[in-house]
Amino acid sequence: MDLIILNDGLYQLIPVTKQMMEGTELFAKVSCFDLCDIIRLKLTTYSELLNAHVMNDGSGDFFGCICK
């Protein structure tokens, strides 16, 4: 799975790593799209001013996921 991040007008694909998932426990099998929502909730904050989910580490705006 890759995250689609918009940074300075350029879209980037960032592979999901074990470090990103650290502290997240899944107790049932989830689909790739559900996992994308879980990652979005963990790694972003919604900005009403920008109307976008902004990455907590400042790396850009969360746009979505690509399931492989």
Side-chain angles (χ1 to χ4, degrees):
M1 172 186 283
D2 291 334
L3 302 179
I4 305 169
I5 306 298
L6 178 62
N7 187 11
D8 292 329
L10 188 66
Y11 291 97
Q12 299 175 338
L13 295 178
I14 309 295
V16 175
T17 63
K18 289 183 180 182
Q19 290 175 328
M20 289 179 183
M21 295 300 297
E22 193 171 292
T24 304
E25 296 182 32
L26 302 175
F27 297 104
K29 190 172 184 174
V30 296
S31 72
C32 182
F33 298 108
D34 290 336
L35 185 57
C36 184
D37 284 339
I38 292 168
I39 292 171
R40 176 183 53 82
L41 291 171
K42 180 178 180 182
L43 299 179
T44 68
T45 302
Y46 181 73
S47 170
E48 288 188 28
L49 179 67
L50 299 173
N51 190 26
H53 289 274
V54 180
M55 297 296 289
N56 292 335
D57 64 0
S59 62
D61 298 338
F62 180 87
F63 196 76
C65 298
I66 294 180
C67 300
K68 296 180 181 182

